[in-house]
Amino acid sequence: MDVVIRPGARLEGHAAIPGDKSIAHRWLILSVTAKGMSRLVGLPPSLDVRSTAECLSKVAGKSRRSLDVFARDARAPVEGRGSTWNAGVEVPAAGPLEVEGDGRDALVQAASDLDCGNSGTSMRLLAGVLAAAPLTSVLTGDPSLSVRPMERVAAPLRAMGAEVETTEGHAPLLIRGTKALQGARFAPEVPSAQVKSAILFAGVAADGITTVREPAPTRDHTERALEALGAPVERDGEELRIRRFQHGGFEGRVPGDPSSAAFLIAAAALTGSAITITGVGLNPSRLHFLDVMERMGIVTQWEVEGQELGEPMGSIEVEPCDGLRAVRVGADEVPLVIDEVPVLAALAIHAAADSWFLNAAELRVKESDRLGAITRSVRDLGGAAADEGSDLVIAGGGLEGGRTSSGGDHRIAMAMAVAALGARGPSRIDGIDAADVSFPGFVATLGRLGARIEAP
Protein backbone atom coordinates (compact mmCIF):
# COMPACT_ATOMS: atom_id res chain seq x y z
CA MET A 1 0.00 0.00 0.00
CA ASP A 2 1.26 3.48 -0.91
CA VAL A 3 0.13 6.76 0.69
CA VAL A 4 0.56 10.49 0.22
CA ILE A 5 1.10 12.51 3.39
CA ARG A 6 0.35 16.22 3.30
CA PRO A 7 1.87 18.55 5.89
CA GLY A 8 -0.02 21.13 7.90
CA ALA A 9 -2.10 18.81 10.08
CA ARG A 10 -2.70 19.28 13.79
CA LEU A 11 -3.10 16.08 15.84
CA GLU A 12 -5.28 15.73 18.92
CA GLY A 13 -6.91 13.14 21.12
CA HIS A 14 -6.03 9.84 22.76
CA ALA A 15 -4.42 6.84 21.08
CA ALA A 16 -3.88 3.23 22.06
CA ILE A 17 -1.05 1.27 20.49
CA PRO A 18 -0.53 -2.44 19.83
CA GLY A 19 0.93 -4.62 22.55
CA ASP A 20 4.70 -4.71 22.94
CA LYS A 21 5.99 -7.37 20.58
CA SER A 22 9.24 -7.80 22.55
CA ILE A 23 7.17 -8.78 25.59
CA ALA A 24 4.69 -10.81 23.54
CA HIS A 25 7.41 -13.06 22.11
CA ARG A 26 8.67 -13.85 25.60
CA TRP A 27 5.26 -14.40 27.18
CA LEU A 28 4.21 -16.71 24.37
CA ILE A 29 7.32 -18.82 24.95
CA LEU A 30 6.74 -18.82 28.71
CA SER A 31 3.11 -19.87 28.26
CA VAL A 32 4.12 -22.92 26.19
CA THR A 33 6.91 -23.94 28.59
CA ALA A 34 4.75 -23.40 31.72
CA LYS A 35 3.13 -26.17 33.74
CA GLY A 36 -0.50 -25.10 33.77
CA MET A 37 -2.91 -22.79 31.97
CA SER A 38 -1.85 -19.31 30.90
CA ARG A 39 -4.08 -16.52 29.58
CA LEU A 40 -2.55 -13.72 27.50
CA VAL A 41 -4.54 -10.57 26.75
CA GLY A 42 -3.56 -7.84 24.32
CA LEU A 43 -1.16 -9.83 22.17
CA PRO A 44 -0.31 -7.63 19.20
CA PRO A 45 -1.52 -8.93 15.80
CA SER A 46 1.88 -8.15 14.31
CA LEU A 47 3.65 -10.40 11.85
CA ASP A 48 6.71 -11.02 14.02
CA VAL A 49 4.66 -12.17 17.01
CA ARG A 50 2.64 -14.52 14.86
CA SER A 51 5.89 -15.97 13.55
CA THR A 52 6.74 -16.95 17.13
CA ALA A 53 3.24 -18.37 17.68
CA GLU A 54 3.42 -20.34 14.43
CA CYS A 55 6.78 -21.86 15.39
CA LEU A 56 5.59 -22.70 18.91
CA SER A 57 2.46 -24.36 17.53
CA LYS A 58 4.70 -26.93 15.83
CA VAL A 59 6.48 -27.96 19.05
CA ALA A 60 3.68 -27.45 21.59
CA GLY A 61 1.65 -30.33 22.93
CA LYS A 62 -1.83 -29.55 24.27
CA SER A 63 -1.97 -25.98 23.01
CA ARG A 64 -0.95 -26.62 19.43
CA ARG A 65 -4.40 -25.71 18.13
CA SER A 66 -4.87 -22.48 20.13
CA LEU A 67 -1.47 -21.20 18.99
CA ASP A 68 -2.18 -22.18 15.41
CA VAL A 69 -5.51 -20.33 15.50
CA PHE A 70 -3.82 -17.18 16.83
CA ALA A 71 -1.03 -17.41 14.27
CA ARG A 72 -3.20 -18.06 11.24
CA ASP A 73 -6.59 -16.51 11.96
CA ALA A 74 -5.44 -13.16 13.42
CA ARG A 75 -3.55 -12.36 10.24
CA ALA A 76 -2.23 -9.28 8.47
CA PRO A 77 -1.41 -8.42 4.90
CA VAL A 78 2.25 -8.72 4.01
CA GLU A 79 4.39 -7.17 1.37
CA GLY A 80 7.95 -7.85 0.30
CA ARG A 81 9.94 -9.23 3.21
CA GLY A 82 7.18 -10.11 5.66
CA SER A 83 6.46 -13.56 7.00
CA THR A 84 5.95 -16.07 4.22
CA TRP A 85 3.18 -18.22 5.69
CA ASN A 86 0.39 -15.67 5.99
CA ALA A 87 0.57 -13.49 2.89
CA GLY A 88 -2.34 -11.54 1.49
CA VAL A 89 -5.03 -11.77 4.16
CA GLU A 90 -6.88 -9.35 6.42
CA VAL A 91 -6.21 -8.40 10.04
CA PRO A 92 -8.89 -8.95 12.65
CA ALA A 93 -8.17 -7.90 16.24
CA ALA A 94 -6.57 -10.66 18.29
CA GLY A 95 -8.55 -11.76 21.36
CA PRO A 96 -7.28 -13.38 24.57
CA LEU A 97 -5.16 -16.48 24.04
CA GLU A 98 -5.32 -19.42 26.43
CA VAL A 99 -2.36 -21.78 26.38
CA GLU A 100 -2.20 -25.03 28.35
CA GLY A 101 1.40 -26.02 28.97
CA ASP A 102 2.93 -29.20 30.36
CA GLY A 103 6.35 -27.74 30.99
CA ARG A 104 9.55 -27.71 28.94
CA ASP A 105 9.74 -31.51 28.92
CA ALA A 106 6.47 -31.71 26.95
CA LEU A 107 7.82 -30.03 23.79
CA VAL A 108 7.50 -32.31 20.77
CA GLN A 109 9.42 -32.88 17.58
CA ALA A 110 8.29 -30.53 14.81
CA ALA A 111 7.18 -32.20 11.60
CA SER A 112 8.71 -29.42 9.49
CA ASP A 113 11.08 -26.46 9.67
CA LEU A 114 10.20 -23.57 11.97
CA ASP A 115 9.69 -20.50 9.76
CA CYS A 116 10.55 -17.33 11.71
CA GLY A 117 9.61 -15.10 8.78
CA ASN A 118 11.26 -11.70 9.27
CA SER A 119 11.64 -12.00 13.04
CA GLY A 120 15.14 -12.14 14.48
CA THR A 121 13.63 -12.12 17.96
CA SER A 122 11.70 -15.31 17.18
CA MET A 123 14.78 -17.08 15.87
CA ARG A 124 17.17 -16.13 18.66
CA LEU A 125 14.77 -16.67 21.56
CA LEU A 126 13.48 -19.98 20.22
CA ALA A 127 17.06 -21.14 19.76
CA GLY A 128 17.56 -20.79 23.52
CA VAL A 129 14.40 -22.76 24.31
CA LEU A 130 15.08 -25.53 21.79
CA ALA A 131 18.69 -25.93 22.92
CA ALA A 132 17.30 -27.42 26.14
CA ALA A 133 14.88 -29.85 24.44
CA PRO A 134 15.97 -33.31 23.18
CA LEU A 135 14.70 -32.49 19.69
CA THR A 136 16.17 -31.68 16.30
CA SER A 137 14.92 -28.35 15.00
CA VAL A 138 15.61 -26.26 11.92
CA LEU A 139 14.93 -22.53 12.20
CA THR A 140 14.51 -20.72 8.89
CA GLY A 141 13.53 -17.23 7.82
CA ASP A 142 12.90 -14.95 4.88
CA PRO A 143 15.75 -13.50 2.77
CA SER A 144 16.19 -10.51 5.10
CA LEU A 145 16.42 -12.64 8.24
CA SER A 146 18.75 -15.09 6.50
CA VAL A 147 21.55 -12.53 6.32
CA ARG A 148 21.38 -11.43 9.95
CA PRO A 149 24.13 -12.65 12.32
CA MET A 150 23.29 -15.79 14.30
CA GLU A 151 26.69 -16.97 15.60
CA ARG A 152 26.29 -14.54 18.48
CA VAL A 153 23.49 -16.74 19.84
CA ALA A 154 24.76 -20.10 18.55
CA ALA A 155 28.15 -19.86 20.29
CA PRO A 156 26.90 -19.57 23.90
CA LEU A 157 24.35 -22.35 23.38
CA ARG A 158 27.12 -24.62 22.09
CA ALA A 159 29.16 -23.76 25.16
CA MET A 160 26.27 -24.99 27.32
CA GLY A 161 26.18 -28.35 25.53
CA ALA A 162 23.71 -28.04 22.65
CA GLU A 163 24.63 -28.78 19.05
CA VAL A 164 23.94 -25.66 17.01
CA GLU A 165 24.91 -25.30 13.36
CA THR A 166 24.57 -22.06 11.44
CA THR A 167 24.80 -21.53 7.70
CA GLU A 168 28.01 -19.54 7.41
CA GLY A 169 27.03 -17.65 10.53
CA HIS A 170 23.43 -17.10 9.46
CA ALA A 171 20.10 -18.91 9.21
CA PRO A 172 19.01 -21.62 8.68
CA LEU A 173 19.96 -22.88 12.16
CA LEU A 174 20.09 -26.59 12.92
CA ILE A 175 19.67 -27.27 16.65
CA ARG A 176 20.08 -30.64 18.35
CA GLY A 177 18.98 -29.90 21.89
CA THR A 178 19.74 -31.78 25.08
CA LYS A 179 18.42 -32.02 28.63
CA ALA A 180 22.03 -32.07 29.82
CA LEU A 181 22.81 -28.37 29.40
CA GLN A 182 25.36 -26.94 31.80
CA GLY A 183 25.31 -23.43 33.17
CA ALA A 184 28.18 -21.20 32.09
CA ARG A 185 29.37 -17.62 32.22
CA PHE A 186 29.00 -15.29 29.24
CA ALA A 187 29.94 -11.71 28.33
CA PRO A 188 28.41 -11.05 24.88
CA GLU A 189 30.60 -8.81 22.71
CA VAL A 190 27.59 -7.02 21.22
CA PRO A 191 24.95 -5.77 23.70
CA SER A 192 21.83 -7.75 22.79
CA ALA A 193 18.65 -8.42 24.72
CA GLN A 194 17.87 -11.24 22.28
CA VAL A 195 21.15 -13.06 22.96
CA LYS A 196 20.79 -12.50 26.70
CA SER A 197 17.24 -13.86 26.60
CA ALA A 198 18.27 -16.95 24.64
CA ILE A 199 20.91 -17.70 27.27
CA LEU A 200 18.41 -17.18 30.10
CA PHE A 201 15.82 -19.46 28.46
CA ALA A 202 18.52 -22.13 28.20
CA GLY A 203 19.77 -21.34 31.70
CA VAL A 204 16.47 -22.12 33.43
CA ALA A 205 16.80 -25.64 32.00
CA ALA A 206 20.52 -26.09 32.77
CA ASP A 207 22.41 -27.58 35.68
CA GLY A 208 24.37 -25.09 37.76
CA ILE A 209 24.42 -21.32 37.48
CA THR A 210 24.17 -19.41 34.20
CA THR A 211 25.67 -15.92 34.28
CA VAL A 212 25.42 -13.10 31.74
CA ARG A 213 27.61 -10.03 32.16
CA GLU A 214 26.24 -6.86 30.54
CA PRO A 215 28.62 -3.90 30.47
CA ALA A 216 25.92 -2.00 28.57
CA PRO A 217 22.33 -2.51 29.79
CA THR A 218 19.72 -3.90 27.40
CA ARG A 219 15.95 -4.36 27.71
CA ASP A 220 15.12 -6.66 30.60
CA HIS A 221 11.72 -8.16 29.75
CA THR A 222 12.89 -11.78 30.06
CA GLU A 223 14.38 -11.49 33.53
CA ARG A 224 11.41 -9.41 34.75
CA ALA A 225 8.95 -12.08 33.60
CA LEU A 226 11.01 -14.95 35.01
CA GLU A 227 11.40 -13.17 38.33
CA ALA A 228 7.65 -12.44 38.49
CA LEU A 229 7.03 -16.16 37.93
CA GLY A 230 9.30 -17.07 40.85
CA ALA A 231 12.53 -17.94 39.09
CA PRO A 232 15.79 -17.53 41.06
CA VAL A 233 17.04 -14.44 39.25
CA GLU A 234 19.99 -12.63 40.84
CA ARG A 235 21.38 -9.24 39.83
CA ASP A 236 24.80 -8.05 40.94
CA GLY A 237 26.02 -4.93 39.20
CA GLU A 238 26.63 -5.83 35.55
CA GLU A 239 25.97 -9.54 36.18
CA LEU A 240 22.71 -11.45 35.90
CA ARG A 241 22.49 -15.02 37.21
CA ILE A 242 19.85 -17.72 36.96
CA ARG A 243 19.44 -21.38 37.98
CA ARG A 244 17.18 -24.21 36.87
CA PHE A 245 13.50 -23.45 37.37
CA GLN A 246 10.13 -24.66 36.12
CA HIS A 247 7.37 -22.04 36.24
CA GLY A 248 3.60 -22.44 36.38
CA GLY A 249 0.80 -20.92 34.34
CA PHE A 250 0.07 -17.21 34.55
CA GLU A 251 -2.16 -14.39 33.34
CA GLY A 252 -1.03 -11.12 31.84
CA ARG A 253 -2.10 -8.19 29.67
CA VAL A 254 0.63 -7.16 27.26
CA PRO A 255 1.51 -3.45 27.71
CA GLY A 256 1.51 -1.16 24.68
CA ASP A 257 4.80 -1.00 22.78
CA PRO A 258 6.85 2.09 23.77
CA SER A 259 8.81 1.84 20.51
CA SER A 260 5.52 2.23 18.64
CA ALA A 261 4.53 5.08 20.96
CA ALA A 262 7.75 6.86 19.93
CA PHE A 263 6.37 7.37 16.41
CA LEU A 264 3.20 9.01 17.72
CA ILE A 265 5.19 11.21 20.10
CA ALA A 266 7.34 12.33 17.18
CA ALA A 267 4.25 12.93 15.03
CA ALA A 268 2.81 15.17 17.73
CA ALA A 269 6.08 17.07 18.09
CA LEU A 270 6.39 17.71 14.34
CA THR A 271 2.84 19.09 14.16
CA GLY A 272 2.97 21.16 17.36
CA SER A 273 0.28 18.95 18.87
CA ALA A 274 -0.69 17.58 22.27
CA ILE A 275 -1.84 13.95 22.45
CA THR A 276 -2.13 11.22 25.09
CA ILE A 277 -1.03 7.63 24.53
CA THR A 278 -2.68 5.13 26.87
CA GLY A 279 -1.75 1.67 28.14
CA VAL A 280 1.95 2.01 27.29
CA GLY A 281 4.70 -0.15 28.75
CA LEU A 282 6.91 2.05 30.94
CA ASN A 283 9.81 -0.32 31.54
CA PRO A 284 12.81 1.95 32.27
CA SER A 285 15.03 -0.14 29.95
CA ARG A 286 12.81 0.96 27.04
CA LEU A 287 12.43 4.69 27.75
CA HIS A 288 15.86 6.18 27.03
CA PHE A 289 14.46 7.53 23.75
CA LEU A 290 12.39 9.96 25.88
CA ASP A 291 15.63 11.34 27.32
CA VAL A 292 16.96 11.89 23.80
CA MET A 293 13.70 13.51 22.75
CA GLU A 294 13.86 15.80 25.80
CA ARG A 295 17.30 16.98 24.68
CA MET A 296 15.70 17.76 21.31
CA GLY A 297 13.07 19.94 22.97
CA ILE A 298 10.12 17.53 23.27
CA VAL A 299 8.27 17.58 26.59
CA THR A 300 6.42 14.47 27.76
CA GLN A 301 4.82 13.44 31.04
CA TRP A 302 4.28 9.81 31.98
CA GLU A 303 2.76 8.02 34.93
CA VAL A 304 2.86 4.37 35.99
CA GLU A 305 -0.69 3.14 36.60
CA GLY A 306 -0.11 -0.58 37.20
CA GLN A 307 2.04 -3.64 36.55
CA GLU A 308 1.69 -6.81 34.50
CA LEU A 309 4.12 -9.69 35.12
CA GLY A 310 6.74 -7.28 36.41
CA GLU A 311 6.17 -4.73 33.62
CA PRO A 312 5.07 -1.19 34.62
CA MET A 313 2.49 0.43 32.36
CA GLY A 314 0.57 3.69 32.16
CA SER A 315 0.07 6.78 29.97
CA ILE A 316 2.33 9.24 28.15
CA GLU A 317 1.20 12.82 27.53
CA VAL A 318 2.92 14.83 24.82
CA GLU A 319 2.98 18.62 25.09
CA PRO A 320 3.12 20.91 22.03
CA CYS A 321 6.64 21.49 20.73
CA ASP A 322 7.65 24.83 19.21
CA GLY A 323 11.01 23.83 17.76
CA LEU A 324 13.53 20.99 17.66
CA ARG A 325 17.18 21.02 18.64
CA ALA A 326 19.93 18.92 17.07
CA VAL A 327 21.20 16.01 19.14
CA ARG A 328 24.31 13.89 19.50
CA VAL A 329 23.61 10.27 20.48
CA GLY A 330 26.85 8.70 21.66
CA ALA A 331 28.09 5.16 21.18
CA ASP A 332 27.29 4.33 24.79
CA GLU A 333 23.59 5.17 24.40
CA VAL A 334 22.88 3.91 20.88
CA PRO A 335 22.19 0.36 22.21
CA LEU A 336 19.51 1.89 24.47
CA VAL A 337 17.66 3.45 21.51
CA ILE A 338 18.58 1.01 18.75
CA ASP A 339 14.95 0.52 17.67
CA GLU A 340 14.15 4.23 17.95
CA VAL A 341 17.06 5.58 15.87
CA PRO A 342 14.87 5.77 12.72
CA VAL A 343 12.22 7.90 14.43
CA LEU A 344 14.84 10.03 16.21
CA ALA A 345 16.42 10.60 12.80
CA ALA A 346 13.00 11.62 11.47
CA LEU A 347 12.89 14.30 14.15
CA ALA A 348 16.50 15.35 13.61
CA ILE A 349 15.77 16.20 9.96
CA HIS A 350 13.64 19.10 11.23
CA ALA A 351 16.19 20.47 13.71
CA ALA A 352 18.21 23.58 12.96
CA ALA A 353 21.63 21.89 12.88
CA ASP A 354 23.31 18.53 12.26
CA SER A 355 22.57 15.52 14.47
CA TRP A 356 24.88 12.53 14.97
CA PHE A 357 24.23 8.89 15.90
CA LEU A 358 27.60 7.33 16.69
CA ASN A 359 28.71 3.70 16.36
CA ALA A 360 25.33 2.52 15.09
CA ALA A 361 26.69 -0.32 12.93
CA GLU A 362 24.16 -2.73 14.46
CA LEU A 363 21.52 -0.96 12.38
CA ARG A 364 23.08 -2.45 9.25
CA VAL A 365 21.95 -5.95 10.28
CA LYS A 366 18.34 -5.23 11.17
CA GLU A 367 15.35 -5.92 8.87
CA SER A 368 17.27 -3.79 6.37
CA ASP A 369 20.51 -1.85 6.38
CA ARG A 370 18.82 0.92 8.34
CA LEU A 371 21.78 3.27 8.17
CA GLY A 372 21.63 3.14 4.39
CA ALA A 373 17.83 3.12 4.31
CA ILE A 374 17.51 6.23 6.49
CA THR A 375 20.08 8.09 4.39
CA ARG A 376 18.36 7.12 1.12
CA SER A 377 14.88 7.98 2.34
CA VAL A 378 15.86 11.36 3.77
CA ARG A 379 17.48 12.29 0.47
CA ASP A 380 14.45 11.01 -1.46
CA LEU A 381 12.27 13.44 0.50
CA GLY A 382 14.49 16.44 -0.09
CA GLY A 383 16.66 16.38 3.01
CA ALA A 384 20.34 15.73 3.61
CA ALA A 385 21.88 12.76 5.43
CA ALA A 386 24.96 10.54 5.28
CA ASP A 387 25.98 7.21 6.74
CA GLU A 388 29.71 7.34 7.42
CA GLY A 389 31.01 3.91 8.35
CA SER A 390 29.13 3.11 11.55
CA ASP A 391 27.88 6.67 12.12
CA LEU A 392 24.70 8.36 10.91
CA VAL A 393 24.67 12.11 10.25
CA ILE A 394 21.38 13.94 9.73
CA ALA A 395 21.51 17.52 8.47
CA GLY A 396 18.81 19.76 9.88
CA GLY A 397 16.74 22.18 7.88
CA GLY A 398 13.68 20.08 7.11
CA LEU A 399 12.30 18.26 4.09
CA GLU A 400 10.97 19.50 0.79
CA GLY A 401 8.77 16.42 0.19
CA GLY A 402 9.05 13.81 -2.51
CA ARG A 403 8.71 10.06 -2.91
CA THR A 404 10.44 7.22 -1.11
CA SER A 405 9.94 3.55 -0.26
CA SER A 406 9.93 1.64 3.00
CA GLY A 407 12.05 -1.07 1.39
CA GLY A 408 9.94 -3.56 3.35
CA ASP A 409 11.24 -2.29 6.72
CA HIS A 410 8.51 -1.39 9.21
CA ARG A 411 10.50 1.20 11.14
CA ILE A 412 11.67 2.97 7.98
CA ALA A 413 8.03 3.07 6.77
CA MET A 414 6.82 4.70 9.98
CA ALA A 415 9.80 7.01 10.41
CA MET A 416 9.45 8.49 6.94
CA ALA A 417 5.67 8.86 7.31
CA VAL A 418 6.25 10.81 10.53
CA ALA A 419 9.03 12.91 9.01
CA ALA A 420 6.69 13.79 6.12
CA LEU A 421 4.24 15.43 8.53
CA GLY A 422 6.70 18.30 8.96
CA ALA A 423 7.79 18.63 5.30
CA ARG A 424 7.21 21.73 3.20
CA GLY A 425 5.34 19.76 0.53
CA PRO A 426 3.52 16.43 0.13
CA SER A 427 5.41 13.14 0.38
CA ARG A 428 4.59 9.74 -1.04
CA ILE A 429 5.61 6.68 0.99
CA ASP A 430 5.52 3.42 -0.98
CA GLY A 431 5.09 0.16 0.93
CA ILE A 432 3.69 1.80 4.05
CA ASP A 433 2.01 -1.48 4.98
CA ALA A 434 5.42 -2.77 6.11
CA ALA A 435 4.40 -1.04 9.35
CA ASP A 436 2.11 -4.01 10.03
CA VAL A 437 5.15 -5.98 11.19
CA SER A 438 5.08 -4.07 14.49
CA PHE A 439 2.22 -1.54 14.36
CA PRO A 440 -0.86 -2.88 12.57
CA GLY A 441 -3.19 0.04 11.95
CA PHE A 442 -0.41 2.66 12.06
CA VAL A 443 -1.78 4.70 9.13
CA ALA A 444 -5.33 4.52 10.50
CA THR A 445 -4.14 5.64 13.94
CA LEU A 446 -2.38 8.69 12.47
CA GLY A 447 -5.48 9.47 10.46
CA ARG A 448 -7.76 9.28 13.50
CA LEU A 449 -5.48 11.72 15.30
CA GLY A 450 -5.81 14.18 12.43
CA ALA A 451 -2.96 13.48 9.99
CA ARG A 452 -3.73 14.28 6.33
CA ILE A 453 -3.16 10.94 4.59
CA GLU A 454 -4.62 9.90 1.24
CA ALA A 455 -4.19 7.40 -1.55
CA PRO A 456 -1.80 8.46 -4.36
Side-chain angles (χ1 to χ4, degrees):
M1 181 177 71
D2 308 334
V3 295
V4 173
I5 297 177
R6 299 191 180 278
R10 183 61 62 92
L11 309 187
E12 62 179 357
H14 291 66
I17 52 177
D20 189 314
K21 65 190 186 80
S22 292
I23 294 174
H25 288 294
R26 290 157 170 82
W27 289 9
L28 277 168
I29 287 171
L30 289 169
S31 70
V32 170
T33 56
K35 278 195 171 181
M37 180 68 74
S38 297
R39 188 173 188 268
L40 307 183
V41 179
L43 287 168
S46 56
L47 299 178
D48 282 4
V49 173
R50 288 195 303 281
S51 288
T52 291
E54 170 76 358
C55 292
L56 288 170
S57 74
K58 294 182 178 181
V59 296
K62 293 180 179 178
S63 291
R64 179 186 300 266
R65 176 168 174 74
S66 63
L67 290 161
D68 187 68
V69 167
F70 172 76
R72 293 186 177 274
D73 288 353
R75 301 172 178 177
V78 60
E79 178 175 317
R81 299 178 179 178
S83 297
T84 54
W85 44 265
N86 62 353
V89 289
E90 298 300 321
V91 184
L97 175 67
E98 293 187 344
V99 178
E100 185 175 2
D102 274 340
R104 287 186 304 270
D105 293 342
L107 298 181
V108 300
Q109 178 67 50
S112 60
D113 294 351
L114 305 179
D115 180 4
C116 297
N118 191 233
S119 176
T121 306
S122 301
M123 183 168 286
R124 292 183 178 123
L125 268 58
L126 288 169
V129 174
L130 295 169
L135 312 169
T136 298
S137 306
V138 177
L139 295 170
T140 66
D142 70 6
S144 171
L145 181 54
S146 297
V147 298
R148 296 174 68 179
M150 290 298 156
E151 269 299 318
R152 61 181 59 173
V153 71
L157 297 177
R158 286 192 204 105
M160 297 179 75
E163 294 183 38
V164 185
E165 299 177 14
T166 64
T167 305
E168 297 181 349
H170 308 287
L173 271 63
L174 173 64
I175 302 174
R176 297 184 181 90
T178 176
K179 290 185 177 181
L181 290 183
Q182 297 293 318
R185 181 184 178 88
F186 302 101
E189 294 182 3
V190 178
S192 170
Q194 295 176 6
V195 173
K196 174 180 66 175
S197 296
I199 294 170
L200 293 177
F201 280 136
V204 294
D207 291 331
I209 299 174
T210 299
T211 302
V212 182
R213 182 177 180 273
E214 279 197 302
T218 62
R219 58 187 61 179
D220 60 359
H221 302 304
T222 302
E223 51 266 46
R224 279 178 179 264
L226 287 169
E227 193 169 27
L229 292 172
V233 177
E234 299 176 7
R235 295 179 177 85
D236 183 8
E238 296 178 347
E239 291 193 350
L240 180 67
R241 293 185 288 272
I242 198 164
R243 300 182 184 86
R244 182 186 290 275
F245 180 75
Q246 174 60 65
H247 60 284
F250 60 94
E251 294 189 10
R253 176 178 293 276
V254 180
D257 190 339
S259 293
S260 295
F263 292 95
L264 300 185
I265 295 170
L270 288 173
T271 57
S273 306
I275 64 171
T276 300
I277 308 168
T278 59
V280 186
L282 297 175
N283 183 318
S285 72
R286 297 289 299 282
L287 299 182
H288 189 74
F289 73 89
L290 291 177
D291 296 334
V292 178
M293 287 182 172
E294 183 178 11
R295 301 203 310 259
M296 300 180 82
I298 299 172
V299 177
T300 60
Q301 304 288 337
W302 54 271
E303 181 180 1
V304 174
E305 298 165 351
Q307 280 204 0
E308 293 285 338
L309 211 65
E311 295 286 347
M313 58 189 298
S315 300
I316 298 177
E317 295 184 358
V318 188
E319 299 183 10
C321 178
D322 58 6
L324 290 169
R325 298 187 291 267
V327 70
R328 187 179 181 90
V329 180
D332 58 334
E333 60 181 334
V334 162
L336 301 176
V337 294
I338 196 69
D339 284 340
E340 291 82 30
V341 168
V343 71
L344 293 172
L347 289 166
I349 299 165
H350 298 281
D354 294 354
S355 293
W356 291 75
F357 299 85
L358 302 178
N359 196 22
E362 185 68 10
L363 287 168
R364 294 201 185 277
V365 292
K366 292 292 186 177
E367 286 84 337
S368 68
D369 172 1
R370 285 184 178 157
L371 289 183
I374 292 169
T375 300
R376 168 188 57 79
S377 296
V378 169
R379 292 172 177 172
D380 287 346
L381 297 181
D387 54 308
E388 302 177 353
S390 62
D391 299 337
L392 175 66
V393 187
I394 303 292
L399 295 175
E400 295 299 328
R403 180 176 181 178
T404 193
S405 169
S406 70
D409 188 316
H410 57 119
R411 297 200 192 277
I412 300 300
M414 292 187 286
M416 291 306 108
V418 166
L421 291 170
R424 288 179 277 273
S427 301
R428 174 168 169 167
I429 314 296
D430 295 341
I432 191 70
D433 47 334
D436 287 337
V437 166
S438 60
F439 196 155
F442 170 71
V443 171
T445 299
L446 277 183
R448 283 195 298 271
L449 290 170
R452 298 170 61 195
I453 304 173
E454 59 193 50

